[in-house]
């Protein structure tokens, strides 16, 4: 009986040790993003080479760009350090968040599918869709000027560009291409009258291709918001902080300034038209 009792005590002790280890692992796993940031004093932020959003100085290894500047300011307000963490590109941001490689991403569109895996805060800016015209076409002040079967619009197949073109000018004749270079050639040669894309892509294309004509901002204005991407978390403190940071910086014009300064510094663009805005 004594031996049996001794074996039961040893087994119970081992079970308690195992249970304690398991509970410890669960507690560590259940640590929220906010708690981890406060404990480590760091925000792990996703970066990859994509000017003017993310720009790496190869001589120093330091990162800059509009979205880096935003994240750096958000970290500074919390009095913690921003730690740039390299990922493979836009397609890896959701995975990097869900596997706890990073705490924060930026420049994401909050699609319903992505929202099943991660959470979002913001918006931190709005990106506008514009048209780039052939010089002989001249351009239009409203989408109705393009909404005509006689107007040939070059567009990249399966992109947001095509979706928004179909929404804003459904009657336009679409010439579909797989590459931006093909679109630029079609418009500059006169095969197409215009193409639509984001203001950032359009200005870079215009700067590098003198054969393109004017950039138009057709009415009604079409702009999609860019968000911070964060881990899905029951603890909402980090999300709440980022939401208020975004509202404050948008209303004061800081984020629009950051976007325009980075475009001028890192995109090879010499000037930005006054009509271009990164506000709602």
């Amino acid at each position: 009986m004594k031996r049996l009792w001794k074996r039961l005590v040893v087994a119970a002790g081992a079970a308690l040790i195992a249970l304690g280890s398991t509970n410890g692992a669960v507690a560590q796993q259940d640590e929220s993003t906010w708690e981890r940031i406060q404990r480590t004093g760091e925000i792990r932020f996703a970066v990859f080479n994509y000017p003017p959003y993310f720009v790496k100085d190869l001589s120093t290894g330091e990162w800059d760009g509009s979205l880096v500047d935003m994240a750096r300011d958000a970290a500074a307000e919390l009095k913690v350090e921003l730690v740039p963490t390299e990922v493979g590109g836009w397609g890896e941001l959701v995975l990097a968040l869900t596997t706890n490689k990073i705490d924060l991403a930026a420049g994401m569109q909050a699609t319903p599918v992505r929202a099943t895996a991660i959470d979002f805060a913001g918006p931190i800016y709005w990106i506008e869709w514009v048209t780039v015209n052939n010089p002989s076409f001249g351009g239009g002040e409203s989408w109705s000027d393009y909404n005509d079967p006689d107007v040939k619009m070059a567009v990249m197949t399966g992109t947001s560009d095509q979706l928004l073109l179909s929404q804003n000018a459904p009657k336009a004749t679409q010439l579909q291409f797989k590459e931006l270079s093909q679109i630029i050639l079609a418009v500059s040669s006169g095969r197409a009258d215009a193409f639509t894309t984001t203001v950032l892509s359009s200005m870079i294309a215009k700067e590098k291709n003198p054969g393109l004509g004017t950039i138009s901002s057709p009415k009604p204005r079409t702009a999609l918001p860019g968000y911070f991407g964060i881990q899905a978390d029951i603890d909402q403190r980090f999300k709440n902080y980022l939401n208020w940071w975004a509202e404050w910086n948008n209303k004061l014009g800081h984020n629009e300034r950051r976007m325009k300064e980075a475009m001028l510094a890192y995109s090879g663009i010499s000037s930005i038209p006054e009509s271009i805005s990164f506000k709602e």
Side-chain angles (χ1 to χ4, degrees):
M1 180 64 71
K2 288 184 178 180
R3 288 182 180 179
L4 178 59
W5 176 250
K6 185 176 182 179
R7 286 199 298 269
L8 290 173
V9 170
V10 170
L16 286 172
I17 292 172
L19 182 59
S21 299
T22 303
N23 286 340
V26 171
Q28 184 69 20
Q29 185 179 352
D30 286 348
E31 181 182 44
S32 70
T33 303
W34 178 264
E35 291 167 338
R36 182 168 56 252
I37 290 170
Q38 296 302 311
R39 176 175 58 81
T40 63
E42 297 178 346
I43 295 177
R44 300 166 299 168
F45 177 63
V47 292
F48 52 95
N49 187 44
Y50 196 90
Y53 295 149
F54 311 99
V55 183
K56 187 176 185 178
D57 187 327
L58 297 180
S59 62
T60 64
E62 297 293 322
W63 285 88
D64 199 7
S66 57
L67 300 186
V68 176
D69 193 17
M70 292 181 197
R72 186 185 297 121
D73 184 74
E77 289 286 338
L78 283 179
K79 296 180 172 55
V80 297
E81 181 183 359
L82 186 74
V83 179
T85 304
E86 294 194 43
V87 299
W90 297 110
E92 292 189 11
L93 294 181
V94 172
L95 179 63
L97 285 165
T98 57
T99 58
N100 195 29
K101 181 178 180 179
I102 58 172
D103 304 304
L104 184 65
M108 302 186 72
Q109 291 181 341
T111 66
V113 172
R114 288 175 182 164
T116 64
I118 64 172
D119 204 352
F120 298 93
I124 53 178
Y125 65 89
W126 282 258
I127 191 76
E128 184 177 355
W129 262 255
V130 298
T131 57
V132 184
N133 308 284
N134 176 272
S136 63
F137 179 71
E141 295 183 357
S142 71
W143 284 106
S144 61
D145 296 321
Y146 298 92
N147 193 30
D148 188 314
D150 291 334
V151 177
K152 298 177 181 178
M153 297 290 294
V155 67
M156 193 178 301
T157 305
T159 62
S160 297
D161 301 347
Q162 186 177 28
L163 176 65
L164 293 174
L165 175 61
S166 298
Q167 174 180 304
N168 292 318
K171 295 180 181 179
T173 299
Q174 292 190 15
L175 303 181
Q176 299 181 17
F177 300 92
K178 293 183 178 180
E179 303 290 339
L180 180 60
S181 59
Q182 298 172 322
I183 291 173
I184 292 172
L185 178 60
V187 174
S188 59
S189 67
R191 181 183 171 191
D193 296 308
F195 71 95
T196 182
T197 188
T198 66
V199 62
L200 176 60
S201 297
S202 68
M203 293 187 68
I204 294 174
K206 168 70 174 170
E207 194 75 21
K208 294 181 177 179
N209 299 274
L212 295 174
T214 58
I215 296 176
S216 301
S217 300
K219 305 298 180 186
R221 180 173 180 261
T222 299
L224 293 177
Y227 290 84
F228 280 133
I230 57 177
Q231 295 181 22
D233 209 330
I234 295 176
D235 186 343
Q236 296 286 287
R237 284 177 290 182
F238 189 45
K239 178 178 181 177
N240 289 341
Y241 166 72
L242 293 173
N243 278 334
W244 288 112
W245 179 93
E247 180 174 302
W248 180 259
N249 279 269
N250 280 324
K251 285 187 174 180
L252 292 178
H254 294 329
N255 286 353
E256 180 169 55
R257 171 184 55 78
R258 291 177 173 116
M259 294 290 284
K260 289 185 175 181
E261 287 178 353
M263 286 178 68
L264 293 172
Y266 300 117
S267 298
I269 296 171
S270 56
S271 63
I272 300 175
E274 292 183 4
S275 61
I276 300 303
S277 173
F278 293 94
K279 296 180 180 180
E280 187 176 10

